[in-house]
């Protein structure tokens, strides 16, 4: 286990564990399976990872730094992030996974370099009554929660797709 002595190290550790679980759950699925909806809402496993890449960019870059995320795709497909639409994508799974990893690296740089108590520079534009969305610490905790929630969704989808269970590092 990594040295997790500081609060920042602990946040990073648990966020990375959830991200690793997402990727481990997808490992071994083919392109058709990754783009297959398995529930009536229509989301696909790779579309959910596309959503997670967008969440990383939104929360760490837009909300924490107050900057517009520079998202580029190597496959040339324009696929704007639409948080309220079913999580699908026209991108290849390789492009989505590469984008997710890239966004996680950017988020890690922000988490490592920012003051956990510093006020947020950007606006999230969401109505979340009773939740004090105030600092980098809250954003890191939120991304741990969101990534874990969606890792659970992916676990269920994987079982429906090919019967595999218990995937991921934890």
């Amino acid at each position: 286990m990594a040295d997790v002595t500081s609060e920042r190290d602990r946040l990073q550790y648990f966020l990375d564990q959830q991200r690793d679980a997402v990727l481990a759950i997808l490992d071994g699925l083919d392109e058709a399976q990754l783009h297959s909806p398995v529930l009536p809402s229509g989301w696909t496993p790779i579309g959910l990872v596309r959503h997670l890449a967008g969440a990383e960019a939104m929360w760490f870059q837009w909300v924490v730094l107050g900057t517009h995320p520079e998202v580029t795709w190597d496959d040339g497909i324009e696929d704007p992030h639409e948080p309220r639409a079913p999580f699908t994508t026209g991108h290849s799974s390789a492009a989505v996974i590469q984008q997710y990893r890239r966004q996680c690296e950017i988020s890690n740089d922000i988490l490592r370099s920012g003051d956990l108590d510093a006020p947020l520079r950007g606006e999230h534009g969401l109505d979340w009554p009773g939740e004090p969305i105030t600092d980098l610490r809250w954003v890191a905790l939120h991304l741990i929660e969101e990534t874990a929630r969606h890792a659970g969704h992916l676990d269920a989808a994987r079982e429906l797709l090919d019967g595999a269970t218990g995937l991921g590092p934890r």
Side-chain angles (χ1 to χ4, degrees):
M1 183 166 138
D3 180 24
V4 290
T5 55
S6 73
E7 180 183 12
R8 182 184 320 277
D9 293 339
R10 288 181 193 117
L11 291 169
Q12 184 72 65
Y13 175 80
F14 281 99
L15 184 53
D16 285 342
Q17 288 294 305
Q18 297 308 316
R19 291 166 172 162
D20 290 347
V22 164
L23 296 174
I25 292 163
L26 298 180
D27 191 38
L29 292 176
D30 64 30
E31 196 70 14
Q33 290 170 314
L34 288 164
H35 285 274
S36 294
V38 294
L39 296 174
S41 60
W43 64 266
T44 65
I46 203 65
L48 196 57
V49 176
R50 167 69 180 92
H51 165 73
L52 286 170
E56 292 272 351
M58 181 211 161
W59 284 104
F60 280 102
Q61 294 172 64
W62 185 271
V63 176
V64 172
L65 297 181
T67 60
H68 187 5
E70 294 294 324
V71 177
T72 58
W73 291 91
D74 298 333
D75 60 6
I77 296 172
E78 289 299 319
D79 188 22
H81 178 64
E82 178 51 59
R84 288 174 177 68
F87 302 143
T88 61
T89 184
H91 293 290
S92 70
S93 60
V96 172
I97 290 168
Q98 180 181 21
Q99 182 65 23
Y100 182 57
R101 287 186 169 134
R102 185 179 305 140
Q103 290 303 316
C104 290
E105 288 173 13
I106 293 167
S107 298
N108 286 347
D109 289 343
I110 294 166
L111 181 57
R112 277 193 294 273
S113 63
D115 176 357
L116 293 176
D117 296 314
L120 301 171
R121 296 183 196 153
E123 292 291 326
H124 52 78
L126 301 171
D127 182 22
W128 287 4
E131 289 201 40
I133 306 170
T134 58
D135 53 31
L136 177 56
R137 177 183 294 102
W138 187 97
V139 169
L141 288 167
H142 172 67
L143 260 291
I144 292 167
E145 171 192 46
E146 180 154 356
T147 307
R149 177 178 185 229
H150 291 317
H153 293 135
L154 290 169
D155 254 342
R158 179 67 188 255
E159 185 173 356
L160 290 168
L161 285 166
D162 70 0
T165 61
L167 303 174
R170 295 175 64 96

